[in-house]
Amino acid sequence: MRLDKYLSDACIISRTRAVSAIRSGRVSVDGKTATKGDMKINENKAAVTLDGKPLSYSEFIYILMNKPAGVVSATDDLREKTVLSLLPENYATKGLFPAGRLDKDTVGLLVLTNDGKNAHRLLSPKHHVEKEYYVECDGDFEEGDIEVCLKGVTLDGELTKPCILKIDPQNKNCARMILTEGKYHEIKRICGYLGKKVTFLERVRFGALVLDPSLSRGQWRHMTNDEIALLDRKEC
Ligand code: URA
């Protein structure tokens, strides 16, 4: 791999800035100051530093975001603010997209990545990754709703896959709902079928990855390799 590409990917900076950092002598490879952006390195073995700080390379970016309300989970939108606009400008050229959609008013766990193949696989209906939501409604859930959700409900002629409903015994208008698919507005439409309107919706888990409580709404961070692996586990 070319050194300028390595630096651009590892530091999430443009190629131009990467070349400029190399030309200014700020980058070293295996202990020697590098001078040329087109220098070839082995990204898995080379010890690369920028301003003396060691860098590590990963092919893809994975971001964990606590999505706030009021932004859409899309890469671009003519009218609405997108989740990508919450990231610094230098992330704009990295090909990131949200892995799955949350409605504009839904908050919580959202993964952004540029690993298209893996995201596509994880989101495929065949993969059955569990997605868990905390739901508040304008009316109480009833015990009978549990069975209805499990059997599936018909929405616009399509039967939903079994949905696990766990009603909060203290606040019966609040519940956890676990889906293994992602139909359009699925939680809101299931609750609508049950005669209730969703007043608050938060995704709290994707596969075995749970929302990081230290991230406040709108905050994000890079995911660790262990967390990326957790996405692959279908359940908690
Ligand atoms: N179900 C919904 O209705 N909305 C979401 O954002 C996610 C699941």
Side-chain angles (χ1 to χ4, degrees):
M1 163 179 282
R2 286 174 60 122
L3 179 61
D4 52 7
K5 160 119 177 75
Y6 177 104
L7 199 64
S8 160
D9 286 350
C11 302
I12 318 199
I13 54 174
S14 67
R15 262 316 168 96
T16 316
R17 279 195 60 203
V19 169
S20 144
I22 295 163
R23 290 214 180 118
S24 336
R26 295 168 58 199
V27 179
S28 80
V29 178
D30 295 328
K32 285 198 194 117
T33 302
T35 51
K36 289 197 169 137
D38 64 0
M39 173 188 185
K40 289 281 185 333
I41 60 161
N42 179 331
E43 66 273 22
N44 299 314
K45 290 192 183 147
V48 183
T49 65
L50 172 66
D51 298 331
K53 291 192 195 99
L55 301 178
S56 66
Y57 183 80
S58 56
E59 195 180 358
F60 297 111
I61 303 171
Y62 279 83
I63 284 171
L64 175 63
M65 179 181 281
N66 184 347
K67 180 192 171 295
V71 291
V72 295
S73 6
T75 47
D76 56 329
D77 193 288
L78 287 178
R79 280 160 305 181
E80 309 281 1
K81 201 172 157 187
T82 70
V83 285
L84 281 181
S85 73
L86 301 176
L87 303 177
E89 224 173 274
N90 46 329
Y91 283 66
T93 57
K94 298 296 173 187
L96 289 162
F97 59 90
R101 278 177 181 258
L102 291 179
D103 298 336
K104 187 177 165 191
D105 56 354
T106 302
V107 299
L109 193 160
L110 186 69
V111 172
L112 296 137
T113 183
N114 53 4
D115 188 350
K117 238 182 176 173
N118 195 31
H120 187 72
R121 188 179 62 82
L122 292 170
L123 294 170
S124 149
K126 284 184 218 134
H127 204 64
H128 306 298
V129 174
E130 284 190 355
K131 273 121 349 198
E132 182 167 341
Y133 296 85
Y134 166 73
V135 194
E136 286 177 13
C137 283
D138 66 350
D140 287 355
F141 288 98
E142 287 150 36
E143 288 303 309
D145 293 342
I146 296 173
E147 180 84 10
V148 174
C149 287
L150 213 51
K151 280 193 174 146
V153 303
T154 304
L155 302 173
D156 292 334
E158 262 189 87
L159 185 68
T160 57
K161 291 227 168 77
C163 163
I164 297 169
L165 170 68
K166 297 179 185 172
I167 307 169
D168 180 340
Q170 257 81 53
N171 299 295
K172 292 202 187 279
N173 66 321
C174 305
R176 301 266 168 167
M177 291 176 81
I178 303 171
L179 299 177
T180 55
E181 58 177 354
K183 289 195 189 346
Y184 178 69
H185 290 337
E186 187 157 354
I187 298 278
K188 290 176 184 161
R189 286 159 76 214
I190 294 175
C191 290
Y193 180 93
L194 300 172
K196 290 164 262 291
K197 189 174 180 319
V198 171
T199 53
F200 178 77
L201 185 58
E202 177 184 41
R203 180 153 66 190
V204 294
R205 179 167 67 83
F206 184 108
L209 179 72
V210 291
L211 182 59
D212 178 346
S214 72
L215 286 181
S216 49
R217 297 271 185 248
Q219 281 193 323
W220 59 275
R221 62 167 173 77
H222 285 257
M223 284 166 61
T224 64
N225 287 337
D226 286 348
E227 286 174 329
I228 296 167
L230 285 181
L231 290 174
D232 232 349
R233 282 189 18 211
K234 296 185 173 70
E235 306 154 344
C236 231

